[in-house]
């Protein structure tokens, strides 16, 4: 298998990570594109013997670190909401934010995260603990859960309440989800993709966003079906089966990119 073929299978998830880091599909994809350009220009320097996925994220980290973190500023052309969000995200160190997402969202171990970021394991563990503590101090909100599997809905409810948020309601269909949102003050939506009556969680969220610009986190067993690059993709996407830390990280990041919290 060629290097290109090996990398191709990991790109949807690198793009997911980049979007979660930047809060923007466009800006996340720009960083991924630059990473690929660097690899194409010097393919012999790509492999460090850690495996394709780890080496790919390691290269991305270098691009992100040099282009985004070095000067501590965001480009003047940056979207104002993204710029404001990154100012808020500064409460978590840039490296700590990456470590949190690499570990919780992308599922890398502490050892693998240390390899990707060029740090040591004690540093990763310390920054991870600090990031989680910072998340726990963030503003609380009310969460609407759109999920047709009762056990999964209960698990999500427990996670949401355990993080200190309220649950605005649990909906199982497109129609119920929109009605529940209109009847509550939900500031965040957790949505399954395929619902019980055959309706779409994506369509439900689109109708909700037409009512108010709240952040949405999609949960699906088939993330590769959405991460195609052929249309606008969800910024926050969690794979089933999910871990509590994955939901925690996604909620934290998504709330930081909302207008009311970024102002």
């Amino acid at each position: 298998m060629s290097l290109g073929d090996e990398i191709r299978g990991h790109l949807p998830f690198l793009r997911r990570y980049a979007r979660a880091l930047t809060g923007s599909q466009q800006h996340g994809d720009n960083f991924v594109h630059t990473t690929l350009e660097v690899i194409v220009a010097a393919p012999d320097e790509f492999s460090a013997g850690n495996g394709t996925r780890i080496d790919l994220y390691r290269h991305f980290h270098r691009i992100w670190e040099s282009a985004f973190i070095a000067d501590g500023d965001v480009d003047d052309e940056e979207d104002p909401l993204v710029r404001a969000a990154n100012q808020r995200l500064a409460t978590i160190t840039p490296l700590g934010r990456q470590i949190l997402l690499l570990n919780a969202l992308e599922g890398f171990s502490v050892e693998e995260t240390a390899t990707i970021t060029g740090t040591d394991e004690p540093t990763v563990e310390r920054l991870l603990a600090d990031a989680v503590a910072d998340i726990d101090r963030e503003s609380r909100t009310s969460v609407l859960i759109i999920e047709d599997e009762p056990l999964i809905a209960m698990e999500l409810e427990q996670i949401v309440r355990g993080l200190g948020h309220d649950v605005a309601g649990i909906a199982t269909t497109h129609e119920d989800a929109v009605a529940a949102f209109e009847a509550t003050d939900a500031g965040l939506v957790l949505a399954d993709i395929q619902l019980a009556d055959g309706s779409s969680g994506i369509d439900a969220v689109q109708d909700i966003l037409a009512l108010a610009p709240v952040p949405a986190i999609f949960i699906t067993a088939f993330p590769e079906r959405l991460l195609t690059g052929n249309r606008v993709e969800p910024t926050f996407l969690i794979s089933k089966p999910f871990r509590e830390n994955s939901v925690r990280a996604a909620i934290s990041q998504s709330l930081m990119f909302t207008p009311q919290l970024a102002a």
Side-chain angles (χ1 to χ4, degrees):
M1 182 181 296
S2 68
L3 177 59
D5 289 335
E6 291 181 16
I7 290 176
R8 187 174 296 110
H10 299 297
L11 281 181
F13 303 99
L14 180 65
R15 294 178 62 239
R16 173 183 66 179
Y17 169 68
R19 286 198 308 281
L21 200 58
T22 63
S24 162
Q25 180 174 333
Q26 177 183 348
H27 293 287
D29 282 350
N30 286 343
F31 278 107
V32 172
H33 183 72
T34 301
T35 301
L36 295 177
E37 287 182 332
V38 170
I39 294 172
V40 169
D44 293 340
E45 299 178 8
F46 173 76
S47 178
N50 304 301
T52 302
R53 183 169 184 249
I54 293 176
D55 284 336
L56 179 60
Y57 278 75
R58 183 175 60 87
H59 271 68
F60 177 90
H61 172 78
R62 290 180 176 178
I63 298 300
W64 168 263
E65 187 176 48
S66 62
F68 193 86
I69 295 176
D71 59 7
D73 294 323
V74 183
D75 190 279
D76 290 339
E77 299 299 320
E78 183 69 272
D79 180 87
L81 180 58
V82 175
R83 181 168 60 250
N86 276 286
Q87 292 171 353
R88 183 176 179 83
L89 285 168
T91 60
I92 300 177
T93 65
L95 182 57
R97 180 156 46 104
Q98 292 171 83
I99 285 173
L100 175 64
L101 289 174
L102 287 168
N103 178 261
L105 188 64
E106 298 303 313
F108 288 106
S109 68
V110 168
E111 179 182 3
E112 291 168 338
T113 300
T115 299
I116 291 169
T117 57
T119 55
D120 54 49
E121 292 182 38
T123 298
V124 168
E125 291 175 340
R126 176 177 58 80
L127 291 177
L128 184 60
D130 290 345
V132 170
D134 285 336
I135 289 173
D136 289 339
R137 289 193 291 268
E138 286 303 317
S139 300
R140 306 307 181 189
T141 192
S142 182
V143 181
L144 172 62
I145 298 172
I146 307 174
E147 172 59 63
D148 64 332
E149 292 288 343
L151 292 180
I152 296 178
M154 289 175 58
E155 184 178 0
L156 289 172
E157 181 177 10
Q158 290 176 349
I159 293 173
V160 167
R161 294 192 186 281
L163 292 173
H165 303 294
D166 296 324
V167 175
I170 298 176
T172 60
T173 68
H174 178 166
E175 183 178 350
D176 289 346
V178 176
F181 182 80
E182 290 178 324
T184 65
D185 59 349
L188 173 68
V189 176
L190 286 175
D192 191 8
I193 302 298
Q194 297 178 337
L195 302 179
D197 63 347
S199 59
S200 167
I202 296 177
D203 292 340
V205 169
Q206 288 178 339
D207 286 349
I208 287 172
L209 293 180
L211 299 173
V214 297
I217 300 170
F218 289 98
I219 302 174
T220 176
F222 306 100
E224 65 278 1
R225 295 181 183 177
L226 293 177
L227 302 176
T228 63
N230 296 325
R231 63 178 181 178
V232 176
E233 300 170 349
T235 299
F236 300 99
L237 181 66
I238 296 175
S239 302
K240 289 182 178 179
F242 55 80
R243 298 182 302 160
E244 179 176 344
N245 281 347
S246 298
V247 179
R248 176 192 290 266
I251 289 176
S252 170
Q253 292 291 105
S254 64
L255 289 177
M256 289 180 178
F257 285 97
T258 60
Q260 64 267 33
L261 291 181

